[in-house]
Amino acid sequence: MVLWSKDQDKLSDMSTGTERIEMKKEGAPPAFHHSNGSVHPVILPDSPEEVPQTPGEYELTEVTSIPDHSDPENERPDMGVLDCRPNAKGQREEDALLENASQSNESDDTSTDQSPVPPAPLKETSFSIGLQVLFPFLLAGFGTVAAGMVLDIVQHWTVFTEVTEVFILVPALLGLKGNLEMTLASRLSTAANIGQMDTAKDMWKMIMGNLALIQVQATVVGFLASIAAVIFGWIPEGNFKMGHAILLCASSVATAFIASLLLGLIMIGVIIASRKVGINPDNVATPIAASLGDLITLALLAGISTGLYKELEFNDYANPMVCAFFVALTPIWVLIARRTPSTREVLYSGWEPVIIAMAISSVGGLILDKTVSNPNFAGMAVFTPVINGVGGNLVAVQASRISTYLHMNALPIAEPDPAPRKCPTPWSSFFGSGVNSRSAKVLFLLVAPGHLVFLYTINSMQGGHTTLTSLFIAFYLAAALLQVVILLYLADWMVNWMWRRGMNPDNFSIPYLTALGDLLGTGFLALCFHILWLIGDRDTDVGD
């Protein structure tokens, strides 16, 4: 709390007992107030009523108690309190930063000449957005192509043919890049952009807390994904096998844990490197997470499940021991994650989007299982990671950008009585005058050219079981464009809706959006293959 007096020349911090800002006499340049890593100009008004009450920055509050003064002549009747409230994301993070700042050795004389002026954010044009997004987008796309080629090969492996419910795990575990890694990238990108990773101490504290958090989430989500696979796969048919159920659990938990650890380390390196070279991490971090996420996760799932399936014949204890080992590590990660304020909050309140997103992706996995297991639609396997990955990558970039925009523009989160706001229209989402509409147009325009490049790559490598006819390409592009336009519109609505209700979009929006991308992509692609089969475009021997 900062104490302000009309007649005094200084502002005092009542919580620390130190003078924070020296006010100049009338006619002198304005002073600056340091609050949570940001700098705000402080103008001395002629009367307390003239103090601006900008939402989320400063507001006059009633003084409940004023310290006694030994000298009555020095008492100041015209006195108010400026309550500095953090307007950036993660109030707990900012409280921690403020506490560190108050404990640092500051000079009593913090004049205006010594106060740094915060740099103005760079204005991004459509060209600059497209230029920064293009390379990570293509890299992510080729990563999904590689994942599709892997899925096209491993779908014929024994574990996938004998335990077809493994297909249900594929979208759920590939969706972890949206539930965990992309959310991690979005959190760290916003933290880097608003200055919460400028010092080495803050950076490492943020890194360790977030790595521990995603390990906890990966273990829990992997376990729940295996339960969903059992429910969707065997229970409806009444054919339940305990050995196969434990195999699914061990494979899912081990894959989720190892993949999240590797991708989390990669994400941290990408964000730190992006800041050093002057690139907005929001534009590059999430696509790079996706470029390696699908390939690493799918390769781990195929390898681990195959190895554990072979152990079923010789050792009945291997699968339970693997599952128990990774679950037993969970309390350690919980203790580490609780030490960081931002991750502590997510650890307690961030489970809903992750679990719901896993359930949505599992529905997409059920569609994949029922479609790919039919020999007539075996060609769908190679394209599923591509269409899901591209849609998830683009909507994650947009959601991360909108979230950072809300944080950097100091808009109040969860106002006491927010003004009612109409649901955005597709026209305003794509053709508005703001930077978010501009980025939505750029991302949408990347869909068709990107998919054509990826389809050509798959065809050149003779992957899949489908010939790329003009009819197939037309149906495929229609499905991809419809998927992305729906996702980008939902991102505009969902991020702002969550912000107005006090929910940090970095923690909540991306899991929902990428899971919806998996469901829409898999559903639209299955529909395309069924329509093409009905109208006579049948080709299932390519790549055999």
Side-chain angles (χ1 to χ4, degrees):
M1 182 176 294
V2 179
L3 186 65
W4 168 78
S5 174
K6 173 181 177 182
D7 300 323
Q8 284 180 317
D9 296 332
K10 298 180 179 179
L11 292 175
S12 299
D13 190 335
M14 295 177 65
S15 62
T16 61
T18 59
E19 294 173 348
R20 299 295 303 275
I21 303 172
E22 179 180 353
M23 300 298 296
K24 298 294 184 181
K25 295 295 183 179
E26 184 176 0
F32 291 89
H33 168 64
H34 294 263
S35 174
N36 299 341
S38 59
V39 183
H40 305 281
V42 179
I43 302 175
L44 188 63
D46 294 333
S47 63
E49 290 76 14
E50 297 178 7
V51 177
Q53 299 187 28
T54 304
E57 293 186 1
Y58 304 103
E59 61 181 355
L60 288 176
T61 59
E62 181 180 359
V63 181
T64 57
S65 62
I66 301 177
D68 295 335
H69 298 276
S70 58
D71 187 1
E73 295 180 358
N74 293 331
E75 294 183 357
R76 296 294 185 265
D78 298 329
M79 188 172 293
V81 174
L82 285 176
D83 185 12
C84 299
R85 299 185 179 181
N87 50 26
K89 79 167 186 178
Q91 295 187 7
R92 299 188 181 183
E93 297 174 23
E94 304 226 11
D95 291 341
L97 292 177
L98 182 59
E99 181 181 356
N100 293 336
S102 64
Q103 294 174 355
S104 61
N105 295 327
E106 296 179 349
S107 172
D108 291 338
D109 182 12
T110 55
S111 62
T112 58
D113 296 334
Q114 296 175 340
S115 301
V117 179
L122 296 176
K123 183 177 180 180
E124 293 181 297
T125 63
S126 298
F127 178 77
S128 65
I129 295 172
L131 189 62
Q132 291 188 23
V133 173
L134 180 60
F135 176 74
F137 168 73
L138 292 176
L139 181 63
F142 287 122
T144 59
V145 168
M149 300 290 290
V150 171
L151 182 60
D152 184 53
I153 295 173
V154 302
Q155 68 173 325
H156 305 294
W157 288 10
T158 303
V159 66
F160 283 86
T161 56
E162 296 295 328
V163 190
T164 60
E165 288 74 19
V166 177
F167 282 111
I168 301 178
L169 293 177
V170 171
L173 293 181
L174 297 188
L176 285 178
K177 70 180 184 297
N179 297 348
L180 304 183
E181 283 79 30
M182 286 185 177
T183 303
L184 167 68
S186 181
R187 277 199 305 267
L188 294 182
S189 296
T190 303
N193 281 326
I194 65 178
Q196 293 180 351
M197 295 177 62
D198 290 345
T199 65
K201 180 181 178 181
D202 295 334
M203 180 180 68
W204 284 111
K205 187 177 181 180
M206 189 79 66
I207 288 172
M208 292 303 298
N210 278 277
L211 276 179
L213 173 66
I214 64 172
Q215 295 312 112
V216 176
Q217 292 178 324
T219 304
V220 174
V221 171
F223 181 76
L224 294 178
S226 64
I227 295 178
V230 172
I231 294 175
F232 292 153
W234 283 318
I235 291 182
E237 300 177 0
N239 183 18
F240 177 77
K241 296 181 180 179
M242 179 59 72
H244 288 179
I246 298 177
L247 167 67
L248 288 176
C249 179
S251 301
S252 180
V253 171
T255 300
F257 184 94
I258 298 173
S260 295
L261 180 60
L262 294 176
L263 292 171
L265 293 173
I266 294 173
M267 281 303 89
I268 291 169
V270 168
I271 291 171
I272 294 176
S274 298
R275 293 293 292 172
K276 288 184 179 297
V277 300
I279 296 177
N280 186 351
D282 285 313
N283 293 336
V284 299
T286 51
I288 291 178
S291 65
L292 299 174
D294 288 345
L295 180 60
I296 291 176
T297 304
L298 192 54
L300 285 172
L301 176 62
I304 292 173
S305 61
T306 299
L308 293 177
Y309 181 76
K310 292 179 180 179
E311 288 295 324
L312 284 178
E313 302 177 2
F314 309 104
N315 189 350
D316 295 335
Y317 300 100
N319 289 304
M321 288 180 62
V322 169
C323 189
F325 171 76
F326 288 105
V327 172
L329 293 176
T330 304
I332 300 175
W333 305 120
V334 170
L335 292 176
I336 298 175
R338 289 180 59 186
R339 299 176 61 183
T340 304
S342 61
T343 55
R344 186 190 309 127
E345 180 181 358
V346 180
L347 184 64
Y348 294 147
S349 62
W351 291 102
E352 179 184 346
V354 174
I355 294 175
I356 294 178
M358 180 275 301
I360 296 173
S361 296
S362 296
V363 176
L366 180 61
I367 298 174
L368 179 65
D369 178 29
K370 299 303 180 184
T371 305
V372 175
S373 57
N374 186 339
N376 294 326
F377 305 116
M380 178 178 166
V382 72
F383 301 107
T384 301
V386 178
I387 192 170
N388 291 349
V390 169
N393 299 345
L394 295 178
V395 74
V397 171
Q398 180 70 352
S400 182
R401 289 180 57 87
I402 297 175
S403 179
T404 299
Y405 172 83
L406 293 174
H407 287 116
M408 293 187 68
N409 284 272
L411 299 178
I413 184 170
E415 292 180 347
D417 186 17
R421 181 180 175 184
K422 295 181 179 180
C423 183
T425 63
W427 179 266
S428 63
S429 297
F430 291 93
F431 300 100
S433 58
V435 65
N436 294 325
S437 299
R438 193 179 309 131
S439 62
K441 289 195 293 284
V442 172
L443 296 174
F444 179 75
L445 292 176
L446 290 174
V447 177
H451 273 295
L452 289 175
V453 172
F454 305 145
L455 290 177
Y456 176 77
T457 303
I458 293 174
N459 186 61
S460 300
M461 300 177 67
Q462 296 184 350
H465 302 270
T466 303
T467 302
L468 298 184
T469 63
S470 300
L471 189 61
F472 172 81
I473 294 175
F475 272 88
Y476 179 87
L477 290 180
L481 290 171
L482 182 60
Q483 174 206 31
V484 172
V485 75
I486 292 174
L487 291 175
L488 292 177
Y489 172 70
L490 289 177
D492 186 23
W493 167 78
M494 185 178 293
V495 172
N496 287 280
W497 180 85
M498 290 180 172
W499 182 269
R500 293 196 302 272
R501 280 153 182 79
M503 303 164 64
N504 190 338
D506 285 324
N507 298 329
F508 290 90
S509 63
I510 293 181
Y512 288 124
L513 292 170
T514 53
L516 288 172
D518 291 341
L519 179 59
L520 292 175
T522 306
F524 289 160
L525 189 60
L527 183 62
C528 287
F529 270 83
H530 280 81
I531 294 176
L532 289 171
W533 180 264
L534 291 176
I535 63 179
D537 189 359
R538 308 171 183 179
D539 191 358
T540 61
D541 59 352
V542 179
D544 281 344

